[in-house]
Amino acid sequence: MKHKLYSLLGLALGLMVQPVLAQQKVDYRLSFPNAVHHEAEIQITFSDIKSDTLKVLMPRTSPGRYAIHEFAKNVYNVRATDAEGKPLQIFRPRTNEWDVLGHNGTVTVNYTLFADHADGTYAGVDETHAHLNMPATLMYAETFKTSPAYVTFAIPHGKNWKVATQLKQQQGNTYFAPDFQYLMDSPTELSDFNFAEWTVQENDKTKTIQVALHHPGTPAQFQEYVAKTKKIVAEQRAVFGQLPDYDFDRYTFIGCYMPQAVGDGMEHRNSTILTSSRPLGAATNALLNTVSHEKFHAWNVERIRPNSLEPFNFQEANMSEALWLAEGFTSYYGDLTMARSGIFDIKKYAADLAGDLNYVLLSPGRQYHSLVEMSMQAPFVDAARSVDPVNRHNTFISYYTYGSMAGLALDLMLRQKYNKTLDDYLQALWRKYGQPEKPYTLTDLEETLAEVSGDRAWAGQFFRNSVQGSQLPDFTPLLAKAGFELRKAKPGEAMIAMEPLKYSEAGAELMSGTFVNSGAYKAGLDRTDVILTLDGQKIKREKDLQKVLSQHKPGDTIPVTFSRLGQTRSTTLVLDEVPTLEVVPYEAIGKQLTPEIQQFRQAWLGSKANGSATTN
């Protein structure tokens, strides 16, 4: 979340020069007397109010998310008093607004927050911790959005809780945010977490990287996690040549890997929140893959930021045409970093590429929306909740994965066509838009690609075809240059649908809608239909299906009987070929790794961090 950071020194000097003047500020106090039942008690004091009515709001969206979440649903027991403790009248014109009347310049608002969803978007409170995403936790007033905020955390008696946050520590358990935007962008974990830190020296500046991890694992597991996190940071630093200038010279990984946590990762300006119910011992490398993605966001989206997300709106959904780069390229580099750091080997990286390519290339969504238009679907899909069925398995491909594979294509094309890399492109975006924190447009992105490649016509064609359009290049020759074979995993094998089936004595039920490019869709089969027979054979188990399919080849037409809404129907179905792709390293299939291929692969997937940073 980008923001205009107020100078702490300037603020302090202002207070010294005008000690008798009232200072408009907000003071928050959070306590947890009923943590066992997931409640937090929150008190907010607004000082030096300028208007007759104080409009207090609960956010509806959260930094890094693009959909509406209605955080007010977990707020109750709202009351307000003046400076003397006198109760004040509250009028509630909207679901997330409380208007306080009759004050004398100071208002204290108290409320209870229910919090039982510890992830990157919501809040979770229990006897082990208080895991707080601020938009899900704190009310605010629009008229105080440029005012400093102070947050005091009351640690429950008998708890060894510490505070992990990107907020600036004032004293004790009181922390500071220069304005509303920074406050809302500052998730906080209160728990008895493990802690480690290291420093990086850059241009006479010391930058501190911290890891605060609430988890049930061993000290050895934590140390392994920290060591690999250091490798991730070093590799990503090498892409840009420097770490960002963190506002308080500090970046904090805030992790919660507890049984009650919900899997997530969420970027913030000087920190990231990382959650999972999976413990380190069972999933260290998978959890680190999220670390890699979120850390890359410190450059890409927090500072290299699309103009369409400025300013971030806490009351409406936030739509952007550039999430294919902001999220998609971050996903590409999240995985690439895992390979460059050696945490993932070549086989694992290739398998993950195959999974992403299968999703993007085999899904029919590209016939409905371009890469830009997929980005603009975010308010509907980014953890948004709905109860009515949607057709997104046909019409949508995640801008995370679609953008990641566009990044892969662009990286390999730049390397093979222009002796440039996607690293070069990101470095150029960093110099032009990230360091000066100047939001970019799609035109800016195309212009920068033209500058890096030296080929304006090609850059324009890529944006027309693959960004504004839905075309992707042939990945087979691109990957072959790096010694990977992209091929069908099961050529010549027949199938009826890619959708999951639920088997029972009644038959095989289609558990989701069919894909528009499948024989099952063309045959009229749909979600909840129960296949009774194929080619005259009853289908009660998977082996029944496989027996029928083994007797046929793709393109064969076979009779089908199925049940829909209690009625038995019949149709014919043209069998599809299993479309699944695989990416196989040459050395795994006995193909020669020539010196040229080895050199190309090393330049692409090899470490960039050796000797690039001085760490203590």
Side-chain angles (χ1 to χ4, degrees), residues 96-378:
N96 70 320
E97 179 180 337
W98 294 261
D99 293 352
V100 184
L101 312 175
H103 63 80
N104 54 7
T106 298
V107 168
T108 296
V109 175
N110 289 272
Y111 60 93
T112 302
L113 175 78
F114 181 78
D116 191 22
H117 195 85
D119 71 352
T121 307
Y122 298 95
V125 174
D126 58 44
E127 290 180 298
T128 72
H129 72 160
H131 178 92
L132 308 171
N133 183 45
M134 293 311 179
T137 305
L138 301 181
M139 292 183 178
Y140 71 99
E142 290 278 352
T143 53
F144 282 74
K145 290 182 77 170
T146 61
S147 303
Y150 298 86
V151 185
T152 299
F153 301 102
I155 305 300
H157 180 70
K159 298 291 185 183
N160 295 320
W161 289 3
K162 304 178 287 289
V163 181
T165 182
Q166 69 175 29
L167 295 168
K168 173 73 172 179
Q169 187 176 20
Q170 288 295 103
Q171 58 180 2
N173 290 324
T174 297
Y175 291 76
F176 166 82
D179 57 23
F180 162 77
Q181 289 273 346
Y182 196 87
L183 175 66
M184 289 291 115
D185 195 41
S186 300
T188 300
E189 167 79 20
L190 282 71
S191 62
D192 187 16
F193 51 75
N194 288 147
F195 181 80
E197 65 179 20
W198 67 95
T199 60
V200 177
Q201 296 296 132
E202 285 186 347
N203 301 322
D204 299 323
K205 181 177 286 189
T206 301
K207 299 178 181 181
T208 301
I209 312 294
Q210 301 178 327
V211 178
L213 193 61
H214 182 212
H215 72 115
T218 67
Q221 289 169 342
F222 176 66
Q223 291 305 317
E224 178 192 3
Y225 179 91
V226 172
K228 290 181 176 179
T229 298
K230 290 179 73 171
K231 289 183 178 181
I232 288 168
V233 173
E235 287 296 340
Q236 294 184 355
R237 177 183 180 272
V239 171
F240 295 96
Q242 65 178 134
L243 294 173
D245 284 333
Y246 308 122
D247 296 310
F248 301 113
D249 298 326
R250 172 174 52 87
Y251 183 93
T252 307
F253 292 97
I254 305 170
C256 178
Y257 300 148
M258 295 291 287
Q260 71 271 37
V262 180
D264 201 4
M266 187 58 60
E267 74 276 5
H268 296 275
R269 184 169 170 86
N270 302 305
S271 65
T272 187
I273 201 80
L274 304 152
T275 58
S276 178
S277 60
R278 303 172 71 187
L280 284 180
T284 297
N285 286 357
L287 297 170
L288 286 165
N289 205 172
T290 305
V291 169
S292 182
H293 178 99
E294 301 306 332
K295 180 56 185 145
F296 201 81
H297 272 315
W299 293 272
N300 188 29
V301 94
E302 289 299 330
R303 291 165 176 85
I304 304 173
R305 189 163 180 82
N307 185 64
S308 46
L309 291 180
E310 285 295 307
F312 189 85
N313 189 333
F314 285 87
Q315 292 299 317
E316 300 295 339
N318 288 263
M319 185 175 73
S320 173
E321 77 293 341
L323 297 186
W324 59 272
L325 187 137
E327 294 288 0
F329 278 26
T330 298
S331 292
Y332 173 67
Y333 272 98
D335 293 344
L336 185 61
T337 300
M338 299 297 283
R340 287 177 171 178
S341 64
I343 300 173
F344 283 177
D345 60 20
I346 290 296
K347 184 178 179 181
K348 166 65 174 170
Y349 185 69
D352 286 352
L353 275 185
D356 291 343
L357 286 169
N358 273 300
Y359 172 47
V360 173
L361 297 180
L362 303 184
S363 298
R366 284 191 292 141
Q367 66 185 271
Y368 293 91
H369 297 297
S370 69
L371 192 51
V372 161
E373 291 166 337
M374 293 298 182
S375 296
M376 297 169 72
Q377 297 291 308

Side-chain angles (χ1 to χ4, degrees), residues 376-453:
M376 297 169 72
Q377 297 291 308
F380 301 127
V381 300
D382 188 39
R385 300 286 196 270
S386 60
V387 296
D388 56 321
V390 295
N391 197 27
R392 296 203 176 278
H393 63 285
N394 278 318
T395 63
F396 178 72
I397 302 173
S398 170
Y399 43 85
Y400 283 86
T401 317
Y402 194 172
S404 178
M405 293 302 93
L408 169 67
L410 190 56
D411 197 0
L412 295 178
M413 285 191 293
L414 283 169
R415 290 174 184 274
Q416 296 175 24
K417 191 177 178 69
Y418 300 105
N419 197 29
K420 295 291 184 178
T421 72
L422 200 64
D423 292 0
D424 295 325
Y425 183 52
L426 268 293
Q427 288 166 14
L429 292 177
W430 174 249
R431 291 190 299 270
K432 293 174 65 176
Y433 304 104
Q435 283 181 304
E437 301 203 36
K438 175 186 175 183
Y440 63 76
T441 64
L442 283 183
T443 301
D444 295 328
L445 296 180
E446 181 179 334
E447 176 66 26
T448 304
L449 183 60
E451 294 170 0
V452 170
S453 66

